[in-house]
Amino acid sequence: MTADLLHAAIDEATLFDAWRKVRANQGAAGVDGQTIEQFGTNVLGRLQTLRDHVRRGEYRPQPLLQWAIPKANGKLRYLAVPTVRDRVLQTAAALVLTPLLDRAMEHASYAYRSGRSVQMAVARVAYWRDQGYQWVVDADIEGYFDNIPHGLLLDKLRRTLQDHSLVPLIELWLAATIQPADGSPPYLLTKGVPQGSPISPVLANLYLDDLDEAVLARDMRLVRFADDFVILCRDPAQAQQALELTEATVEALKLRINREKTRLVHFDEGFRFLGVDFIRNLMLAAQPGAQPWVIPDATTRQRAALHDTPAEAPDTDRHANEPPEPMVGETIHATTPPVPTGSQRPVGAYDGMQPYDSSFHANNDTDATAEDDPEPRIQLQHDDRLPPLLRSLVIGEHGVLILKENDRIIVARQGSELLSWPLQKLDEIHITGNALVSTALLRQCSRDGIHVTVSDSTGINHAHLGAPHPLADAHCHAQQVQRLADNDWSLMMARAVIHGKIHNQLCLLRRYNRRRRLTPIDQAIEQLDAMRSRLATTQTLDQVRGCEGQAARAYFGALHHLVPPQWTFEGRRKRPPTDPVNALLSYGYAVLHRTMVTLLVRQRIDPYLGAFHAPRAGHAALASDLIEEFRAPVVDTTVVHLLLSDTLTPGNFDTECGTGTVLLDKHARQTLVQALHAKLRSHIVHPSAAARMDYHRAMLWQVRHYRGVLAGRPPVYTPFLLR
């Protein structure tokens, strides 16, 4: 074993890169019980030993630990987990093979390839539909991954590669011994690629390349994502030919078409592909996670039309040469969770502190509250509905070192690594604890456009680092200055955002009082309604501020009757917050404010030039303006639910000596931040866009709407209004 590809795979740098990917992906221990953390001790020595074993021909993979995972339909899915050592070597081989195999594959294949995604595959189907390809072969291969014949797969690999030095290793990995986790007798894998092995996705993708070539050679239109594919044709005769060609090609690959699930269909009848229902000219998300694929962005549509998939484009699913992420049961925690001991650790469990990217949502959306359960307890559950708009990392630990190592952010304390996360998977970093931050990390974040904010224990932001370019482009900044010099325009903006704020406060109070029927809350609703009506007659910004102030007093007075008495909440107290409820509200508003600042800066709008909030040094007044309509549905709703569900107690707060400021302890901060991020990921129907989205996207929609109003298209700002 002394050829170029093998040398490249066991090169020290390649093996170390592979180890980093395996470590980032985490996952369970294999049959030897060795965890990621245990392998990481003396990792350089372990990698050198692995390298030597391969060079001397002494390497033999260990059996795969098989787990049976229940699926939603009641059936079982089997994952076969290699040991950490074997995962590292397979990942190194994938790193070397993927670029070579990718060049040999057809443009119609969208899975496990850098720069391609489910969203692009869905957009491609819509593109061919719009070009007149209305007849579809909707095909299904029976048990594809479990039935790939090893001999034909290896032949395909040899035909594709000039250098065969890695083929013997792949033969060893395919002919694996499977050890069921339930204690059943082990058995030898004679066909199929084990799901759970890092090398399997690229091999499975390669094997169906013959199908791609056969279909495309007949001038038919194919869209394939792993073993899910559709063939689009102009007429039923061509569709019948495509079906016959598919059956013959799949049979030649020693696989079988599932005839019960394979059919010829017209777009008028409809069919489902990758979680999306195509019906006539409509695309409907059949599963919650498919919602973002229904409305692809402009770049995705353009690539779908032009076959434009540059190598440097980001892979929105995951990098093709990374080990597959856990398929089921994955859980991402913000702090270190308890880990089961021994080899019974659940497949897909993650260790360590992780970013708030998309992992949980809270069942606390007032828009979806049932009539008979107005105050459901917050339940954290997996959220695979929409990819995160902003991937945020919140670091609240004190006394930690935050630095950059290669292209990852590292959080460590006293030599122990608490977190390692790829910078390319972050949009913003919030540092709320007292920490030392390396300038190398800050420079990298600035170059990559990752926004870094530093705040204190009350949530107030004290520093913000963004991209090196100005906060706003020159044209937009000039428009802002010109508009704000127009008193009528400023008055229009101020009325609109406060109208949205009061309207959403009214919605919250009405929903909570639907069953309580408390007289003080009814009275507050009448006062808020009167203030909302009075807004239309205001002639100055001060009059608008007066209406907002009176409405706020009535609103927070009503919240006093909703909050349990042990919280001693008498009304809004801002600077400083003197009770736990005000501390929660202030911290939550600060989180919402810095999120809005990030969205504004990403849209190249100056966040400091606002209409309603009076300008003052260092205050992002426009961000304060635009969060007004989101305070009640996002922050207030979250805080009230935390209190009503007994998720927090008064014991989770401290009072600062001398000032009387009430501060959240570590548990309260983590709970609130996680609940807020979950709330921002929960779904609503945006009233102006008439589309289902999460609150992050609703805020972005309002930011873009504001920029349009600056240009006079449309001339009047419409706030976000709950229904």
Side-chain angles (χ1 to χ4, degrees), residues 113-116 120 299 303 308-316 319:
R113 302 178 69 184
S114 181
R116 291 174 177 249
M120 291 180 64
T299 302
R303 289 181 184 170
D308 181 16
T309 54
E312 64 272 20
D315 183 356
T316 55
H319 295 292

Side-chain angles (χ1 to χ4, degrees), residues 29 106 177 179 214 294 337 342 357 384 496 520 551 587 597 659:
E106 305 301 321
T177 298
Q179 175 61 66
V294 172
D357 58 351
D384 57 358
Y587 202 102
V597 169
T659 66

